[in-house]
Amino acid sequence: MPGLGAAARPARPGRAYHDGTRFHLLELNAGSELGGTDTAQQNRAWLRVPEFAAFAEEHGLRHLDTAPRVAAALRRAAEPVTGGEPVVALIESTGGLAAHEHVFTAVREAMAAEGITLLLGEIHELAERNGKITLRGTPLDVILRYFVAGELLDDPTGQQVLDTLIRADREGRTALFLPLDSGVYASKGSLALLHDPAVRAELTEAERATVDRAVPWTRLLDEGRQYAGDRAGLLARCRAEREELVLKPGVGYGGVGTVIGHETDDAAWAEALERAAGGDAVVQRRVRPAPEPVVDAATGRTEEWAANWGVFVDGEGYAGGFVRALRPGDGAVISFSNPGTRSSCVFTAD
């Protein structure tokens, strides 16, 4: 039986490149611990600057605020638990708050603007009282989960607390938003299934055309997932097309563990493929993002950067977005693991 949070339909962000003609979906993540939901605070901050507010009004600039969508999902998750405004806590792993304090502060500010008081805590600070989860003594209606399963593997205390959280969620005392099983959909292997020969055979012609238009060729390298006679051919293709491919961990973030084919040589690439074939990894067709004009805040000059678009979607459709960008000379991985990456909010024009 799914936890209460499973019905909350959270926003899901996709990472995409635009090649000058259309967007290509590189990955689609699902979960409560996703980054980028705080970016709408930048939209609000810009609109408080009189000069930009006038510019936005003149050119019909608008933005879709992700924060109300998140607040609505939290309230839906809380409905079986409380009839009033929920007491919500954002919970990180032990030691996790300090690493992203600025993000959590922005999320808390955004929730406050929606009428939700968001407490911040770590999993070791949680306890149970009369079947309800408490944070430093305060009873909680909803826990906004920002820790992931992997962070609890070496934390016996965290594992014990997790058992308590799951029990409280099932009994309707404190909702866990979202349960850990939502992470099943976070793997990049989900997109790879769309290009799996067995799956493609079950798609309609229109569905295959949609996949080919929106999702670059992506395949799982796990030996256990390859059909008879397919694995050898897949690896041979990957070796031959090295300069046009990217190798990524199926689960992860920030570009950690990514191998860029055109930035390595044949021997290192072949070794990386063999190493990845025994685990959770995907290989994906390289997409060349169209250059985007970016004003350098330090110099005032306009330069051409590569952009990685983060687009949120939920049950109602588009739910806001943000963008990260990088000078082409600073590498191919556009993420905060690359110190040259910069981020900004997104406005749309009428």
Side-chain angles (χ1 to χ4, degrees):
M1 180 177 179
L4 296 172
R9 303 173 71 186
R12 301 177 296 277
R15 304 283 190 263
Y17 280 169
H18 195 281
D19 66 1
T21 302
R22 65 180 187 271
F23 282 106
H24 298 263
L25 182 65
L26 303 182
E27 57 189 76
L28 183 65
N29 301 313
S32 53
E33 72 279 8
L34 302 170
T37 57
D38 57 300
T39 311
Q41 287 297 84
Q42 292 187 39
N43 295 81
R44 299 181 185 190
W46 277 108
L47 290 173
R48 287 196 293 268
V49 178
E51 293 81 1
F52 183 84
F55 175 84
E57 184 63 29
E58 178 183 354
H59 295 279
L61 301 186
R62 302 289 184 268
H63 77 284
L64 199 157
D65 196 336
T66 306
R69 300 287 187 92
V70 175
L74 292 172
R75 287 189 170 100
R76 285 196 298 270
E79 285 174 0
V81 178
T82 177
E85 279 296 306
V87 178
V88 183
L90 184 156
I91 301 299
E92 251 286 7
S93 58
T94 301
L97 284 179
H100 305 286
E101 183 178 5
H102 62 290
V103 173
F104 299 137
T105 298
V107 173
R108 183 165 58 183
E109 290 175 351
M111 290 300 98
E114 299 303 316
I116 292 180
T117 299
L118 185 68
L119 308 177
L120 300 180
E122 298 182 350
I123 193 166
H124 68 278
E125 297 179 289
L126 298 177
E128 178 188 18
R129 187 166 65 225
N130 298 326
K132 199 170 186 66
I133 304 301
T134 64
L135 173 64
R136 298 185 294 271
T138 300
L140 304 177
D141 298 314
V142 181
I143 289 177
L144 176 57
R145 178 180 61 81
Y146 261 75
F147 59 87
V148 298
E151 292 172 327
L152 304 183
L153 292 178
D154 298 321
D155 182 1
T157 300
Q159 294 179 38
Q160 294 173 7
V161 174
L162 179 61
D163 290 340
T164 304
L165 295 182
I166 293 173
R167 184 169 59 253
D169 182 50
R170 287 175 177 171
E171 294 176 356
R173 306 302 301 274
T174 298
L176 180 59
F177 185 91
L178 285 164
L180 288 172
D181 57 12
S182 66
V184 171
Y185 307 100
S187 172
K188 299 173 183 66
S190 298
L191 290 184
L193 291 176
L194 297 174
H195 287 280
D196 190 299
V199 175
R200 285 182 65 85
E202 300 298 321
L203 301 179
T204 67
E205 183 176 347
E207 289 170 337
R208 285 193 293 270
T210 298
V211 170
D212 292 340
R213 175 178 55 81
V215 182
W217 181 79
T218 308
R219 290 294 303 275
L220 280 162
L221 289 181
D222 182 0
E223 295 178 28
R225 283 288 306 135
Q226 304 309 321
Y227 295 91
D230 185 45
R231 180 175 181 269
L234 174 61
L235 289 177
R237 176 178 179 177
C238 291
R239 287 192 293 267
E241 300 179 10
R242 168 180 60 81
E243 294 194 359
E244 298 301 320
L245 299 175
V246 177
L247 181 64
K248 307 176 179 180
V251 176
Y253 63 94
V256 177
T258 298
V259 181
I260 309 297
H262 68 271
E263 291 185 349
T264 188
D265 58 30
D266 287 338
W269 177 250
E271 180 182 349
L273 289 174
E274 288 295 337
R275 187 168 58 247
D280 175 34
V282 301
V283 64
Q284 187 174 74
R285 173 74 56 190
R286 174 187 176 192
V287 179
R288 291 174 170 82
E292 302 281 355
V294 174
V295 177
D296 189 314
T299 65
R301 292 194 302 267
T302 300
E303 304 172 341
E304 291 188 340
W305 290 33
N308 184 334
W309 297 84
V311 179
F312 287 101
V313 294
D314 61 12
E316 300 177 41
Y318 175 62
F322 61 99
V323 64
R324 295 169 180 169
L326 182 72
R327 289 186 180 89
D330 287 343
V333 178
I334 307 174
S335 75
F336 290 128
S337 64
N338 188 329
T341 299
R342 297 293 181 268
S343 178
S344 187
C345 54
V346 172
F347 285 89
T348 58
D350 290 341

